[in-house]
Amino acid sequence: MLEPNVAQRAHDTPRNDVPTKRSGMSFPERHPYLFWQIIGWSLLLVDFIFVVIAVFNDFGEWCYPIIVFTFIGVLFAIIGSPFLIYFTRKSQVPDTRTSAEERVIRNDITTIVMLRNKAYGTLTGVAAVALVLVLAYVTYILGERGHILPGFISMVFMVVVPCIVCSQYLAFIRKRFMEVPDAARLVDVREDYYLSDLRRSRIPILPLPTPPSDAMLDFLYNWLHRYLMGDRLALITLTRSDLRRIGIVLVDGSIGDTEDDIDANAPLIAIPERQLDLSGANRAQFDKECRAIGAFVLPQREADAGVHAEGMA
């Protein structure tokens, strides 16, 4: 059994111990607008040089598609990326500790929603592709008839609008998924438990990129809300080193990774199933969602010394 005096809520960690989103961020993450502007103007320079070379060397008509598609990429980088960055930032998950945690939450929400409502994601994807094709056709017709400015505007819309539609759709499903606001206050996080209980009972374990923040607890509560029998959710925090005490070694399946390459203190969250209603069709749906986001169940036989866990954060 772990020491009971460390049984505290994970999201009550002092702020000076919490890594900020800007720590360890790459240049594109710190300056996304400048990054895409540099790419856009660099592509435009390359495209201009290619046009000049093509004109003086008479490369023929095969060079036109290269010029056009490169120019479309320039439009996205210079004109489209600010819109995409703006709408993406509006849909960011608040209260996350790192960008990795935010990315995991966003991806897991999208994955679960798609499993529960497959038709919406398919229809949105089809609508986005159809919109691109329609705008491409309009751009072509306007160019053929000599309407340069309307054709240019249509080309910009062809690049920008589908990205905005997809971004806003993902923001919509995330907002709809989080139907219980401030759900972290309804989550009880424990660190005192018997390791042997993880083998005797069926407890799904989910790898996390960082110790659970309020945002992660909000996500976990809203995910499990449809299965929860009561109002509160009880979770157990542990690490890889805790599992090694009972002979469990986690392998994420990455080529070349060994046990020594993985942080022994990498956080995990355990979900006791006794608080969930998994009768009937709920069991199959819950298991499917667990597999999709990388949660796994420990083997109950002592002979099984390793667990292969997909989707390690």
Side-chain angles (χ1 to χ4, degrees):
M1 182 173 178
L2 297 185
E3 293 295 333
N5 58 353
V6 297
Q8 300 174 350
R9 293 179 62 87
H11 58 286
D12 289 338
T13 305
R15 285 297 176 186
N16 56 355
D17 294 334
V18 177
T20 61
K21 287 188 178 183
R22 299 189 65 85
S23 60
M25 295 175 64
S26 61
F27 178 79
E29 292 176 323
R30 293 195 307 270
H31 308 287
Y33 293 104
L34 179 59
F35 174 74
W36 284 107
Q37 291 300 313
I38 292 174
I39 289 181
W41 289 104
S42 299
L43 283 176
L44 184 61
L45 178 61
V46 172
D47 200 31
F48 175 75
I49 294 175
F50 184 80
V51 170
V52 173
I53 295 176
V55 168
F56 283 98
N57 291 273
D58 192 18
F59 283 172
E61 296 184 357
W62 65 268
C63 66
Y64 295 151
I66 298 178
I67 297 173
V68 171
F69 285 112
T70 304
F71 187 69
I72 292 176
V74 169
L75 288 180
F76 172 78
I78 297 178
I79 301 177
S81 61
F83 291 95
L84 183 61
I85 294 170
Y86 171 76
F87 283 100
T88 300
R89 284 183 169 178
K90 282 187 64 177
S91 62
Q92 284 182 340
V93 180
D95 299 327
T96 52
R97 292 181 174 177
T98 64
S99 57
E101 184 182 50
E102 179 182 357
R103 184 168 57 252
V104 168
I105 293 175
R106 288 159 61 98
N107 292 342
D108 287 350
I109 291 176
T110 303
T111 299
I112 294 172
V113 171
M114 293 302 179
L115 287 176
R116 295 177 180 179
N117 305 285
K118 294 182 179 179
Y120 295 113
T122 303
L123 290 176
T124 303
V126 171
V129 173
L131 184 59
V132 171
L133 294 177
V134 169
L135 290 174
Y137 179 74
V138 171
T139 301
Y140 173 76
I141 294 298
L142 291 174
E144 283 289 316
R145 297 184 178 180
H147 302 294
I148 304 301
L149 181 59
F152 177 80
I153 296 175
S154 178
M155 184 182 295
V156 173
F157 284 165
M158 179 183 68
V159 175
V160 174
V161 173
C163 296
I164 295 177
V165 169
C166 293
S167 176
Q168 289 302 102
Y169 170 73
L170 294 177
F172 168 75
I173 65 174
R174 282 191 292 270
K175 184 177 180 180
R176 187 176 180 182
F177 179 88
M178 296 290 192
E179 58 180 351
V180 181
D182 300 324
R185 58 187 173 82
L186 299 174
V187 180
D188 300 316
V189 181
R190 298 173 48 217
E191 293 185 5
D192 55 326
Y193 61 95
Y194 287 99
L195 289 172
S196 57
D197 290 343
L198 300 178
R199 279 190 180 275
R200 288 198 295 263
S201 56
R202 195 177 190 278
I203 302 181
I205 298 178
L206 179 67
L208 300 179
T210 62
S213 64
D214 282 347
M216 179 60 72
L217 297 180
D218 285 343
F219 158 69
L220 291 172
Y221 186 91
N222 281 280
W223 166 39
L224 300 170
H225 182 249
R226 68 178 293 180
Y227 306 108
L228 202 60
M229 291 186 290
D231 294 330
R232 302 192 66 84
L233 174 66
L235 300 173
I236 300 172
T237 60
L238 62 156
T239 64
R240 290 172 179 263
S241 61
D242 294 331
L243 295 184
R244 289 178 185 176
R245 299 179 192 175
I246 55 175
I248 297 295
V249 178
L250 301 184
V251 180
D252 65 2
S254 301
I255 298 177
D257 280 356
T258 64
E259 183 181 351
D260 295 332
D261 297 328
I262 303 174
D263 184 9
N265 294 318
L268 307 169
I269 197 84
I271 308 167
E273 289 190 353
R274 62 177 181 273
Q275 61 194 318
L276 307 178
D277 178 14
L278 299 177
S279 60
N282 282 355
R283 165 57 68 184
Q285 181 66 27
F286 178 70
D287 289 345
K288 185 187 301 183
E289 293 171 1
C290 285
R291 289 192 300 269
I293 66 174
F296 58 91
V297 178
L298 296 183
Q300 297 183 5
R301 294 182 304 169
E302 294 294 336
D304 296 329
V307 174
H308 181 85
E310 296 290 346
M312 286 295 188

